[in-house]
Amino acid sequence: MIEPTCDVTVVIAAFNAELTIERAIVSALMQDDVRVEVIVVDDCSRDATREIVLAIDDPRVRLIAHERNKGPGGARNTAFDAACGRWLAVLDADDTIYSDRLSRLVRQGEQMKADVIVDNLDIVSPQGVRRTMFAEADLSRRPWMTLEAFISSNVLFRSTYNYGYMKPVFSRSFLDGHGLRFDESLRIGEDYILLASALAAGGRCTVCPRVGYAYHLTDGSISSVLKRHHVEAMLAADAAFVQSYPLDATALRAQRQRRRSLEQARSFLALIDHFKQGAVAPALVTALRDPLALRHLRMPIAARLRRLIGPQASTMRKDPNRATGPHTSKG
């Protein structure tokens, strides 16, 4: 393991992020009372992302360029392996963090002897309007994130935000000690599996109710956000997760609910695909196999997708290297 030489390594996976990458990096460099480094992993961008990062004249910024596209999980893993910080903070290339975030979270993490820290988020519209994702009062009643609570929050087809949107700050020694990294087979939901695995491995995750992360939305379409193969990959990753960790009764019950919601999402998306193709017979077979998926057809298509993907889906379009969906993040 690389010896720590700073407090926090901010990890940014970037793909065609020329419009937002400088804003993200600057927000990471402007942290108060904490020593940071920023590692940007360019995942084979076809725009000026690399040039913009290289033009930032600050020794705390490092660029690592992939020779082949590995997806967001692979890019973050590259940064994790190269990090020099005691703590690892993931920042999406189109988001920002507030200047007091990392010092506050590191202080809380060390005081609470935690392995992971999560906090509240602001959702920033394309017009710059900000609203807080979670009520501070609700998070104040949850000083620790349990595995059962985290899994239960990440059940699909709910109209509220789930805890998978939170951006954890991880103890590097904890991740290294348990061999934890992002699942590179996932292009969606990789954030969820990593935090769930950390909790299942005994990680202590403390919750800060204050807002520290700004989750930026941009105008775009939701029509290509979530695909059936994404859900299939999430089901496979969840199955591997259950095989890897012994879950207690409450966590296992939550996991069964999550799996059922993923199966419904798969059937629902299959129905949509069949209808688009005019394939009536396959649609009937899918409906008979999973009748509960039919209930989502009562809503208009945009409302159905918003319910599946998340409350902000009608305006959300994030990094094109990431399929956005249920934590899903933007997994």
Side-chain angles (χ1 to χ4, degrees):
M1 186 175 87
I2 298 173
E3 286 298 316
T5 57
C6 65
D7 298 313
V8 185
T9 298
V10 179
V11 170
I12 304 177
F15 176 75
N16 291 347
E18 63 180 6
L19 298 179
T20 60
I21 188 64
E22 184 174 11
R23 180 184 68 186
I25 294 172
V26 169
S27 76
L29 294 175
M30 296 295 289
Q31 295 299 295
D32 302 327
D33 302 321
V34 66
R35 295 175 302 158
V36 301
E37 68 167 350
V38 180
I39 299 181
V40 180
V41 180
D42 181 76
D43 205 23
C44 299
S45 294
R46 297 184 294 270
D47 64 2
T49 296
R50 294 188 192 185
E51 290 75 13
I52 291 172
V53 176
L54 289 171
I56 296 175
D57 186 17
D58 193 307
R60 295 174 294 170
V61 179
R62 282 195 279 162
L63 174 69
I64 301 175
H66 275 173
E67 294 183 358
R68 63 179 181 86
N69 183 279
K70 296 183 179 181
R76 290 169 180 167
N77 286 343
T78 295
F80 277 15
D81 292 340
C84 293
R86 293 183 295 112
W87 297 88
L88 304 175
V90 171
L91 173 61
D92 284 352
D94 48 1
D95 290 338
T96 54
I97 52 178
Y98 298 134
S99 62
D100 64 340
R101 181 187 189 232
L102 294 182
S103 61
R104 176 161 35 85
L105 295 190
V106 167
R107 186 165 56 249
Q108 177 170 330
E110 293 177 346
Q111 289 174 350
M112 301 288 282
K113 294 181 170 54
D115 306 298
V116 189
I117 316 110
V118 294
D119 60 346
N120 212 339
L121 305 86
D122 272 343
I123 308 159
V124 186
S125 75
Q127 295 74 36
V129 177
R130 295 172 187 260
R131 56 191 176 94
T132 302
M133 186 173 287
F134 303 104
E136 285 195 19
D138 291 343
L139 292 185
S140 295
R141 291 190 287 269
R142 187 182 296 280
W144 296 98
M145 180 68 69
T146 66
L147 179 59
E148 182 274 332
F150 184 64
I151 296 175
S152 294
S153 174
N154 282 270
V155 172
L156 276 63
F157 292 109
R158 291 183 174 177
S159 58
T160 57
Y161 290 102
N162 61 63
Y163 294 144
Y165 284 96
M166 291 174 164
K167 293 295 182 182
V169 176
F170 293 99
S171 161
R172 183 162 66 98
S173 63
F174 178 83
L175 291 187
D176 289 347
H178 289 81
L180 292 175
R181 289 294 187 267
F182 287 101
D183 185 339
E184 298 187 13
S185 69
L186 292 173
R187 294 296 177 115
I188 183 171
E190 75 285 349
D191 307 72
Y192 167 81
I193 286 293
L194 181 58
L195 181 49
S197 298
L199 292 170
R204 290 165 49 87
C205 179
T206 184
V207 180
C208 176
R210 288 178 56 185
V211 172
Y213 192 100
Y215 182 104
H216 292 260
L217 306 178
T218 55
D219 290 320
S221 169
I222 62 174
S223 60
S224 61
V225 168
L226 188 66
K227 302 296 184 183
R228 237 190 309 173
H229 68 270
H230 297 139
V231 179
E232 293 283 3
M234 292 165 70
L235 280 164
D238 274 31
F241 167 72
V242 172
Q243 289 294 317
S244 299
Y245 299 99
L247 306 184
D248 64 25
T250 58
L252 194 57
R253 183 165 55 249
Q255 181 61 41
R256 291 192 186 106
Q257 294 174 343
R258 173 176 158 81
R259 184 188 67 224
R260 184 68 189 109
S261 73
L262 286 169
E263 291 170 345
Q264 287 184 33
R266 178 177 59 190
S267 297
F268 169 70
L269 292 170
L271 282 173
I272 297 300
D273 289 344
H274 294 324
F275 289 148
K276 285 180 178 179
Q277 297 163 8
V280 177
L284 290 174
V285 171
T286 300
L288 290 171
R289 187 176 298 152
D290 194 353
L292 286 177
L294 287 172
R295 67 183 178 179
H296 303 292
L297 295 177
R298 298 174 185 171
M299 294 180 284
I301 181 66
R304 291 197 302 268
L305 288 170
R306 277 196 297 272
R307 189 69 176 270
L308 172 59
I309 297 161
Q312 80 289 13
S314 60
T315 58
M316 180 169 57
R317 189 170 183 85
K318 303 296 288 184
D319 187 330
N321 200 30
R322 306 185 50 120
T324 303
H327 280 285
T328 118
S329 83
K330 285 192 289 196

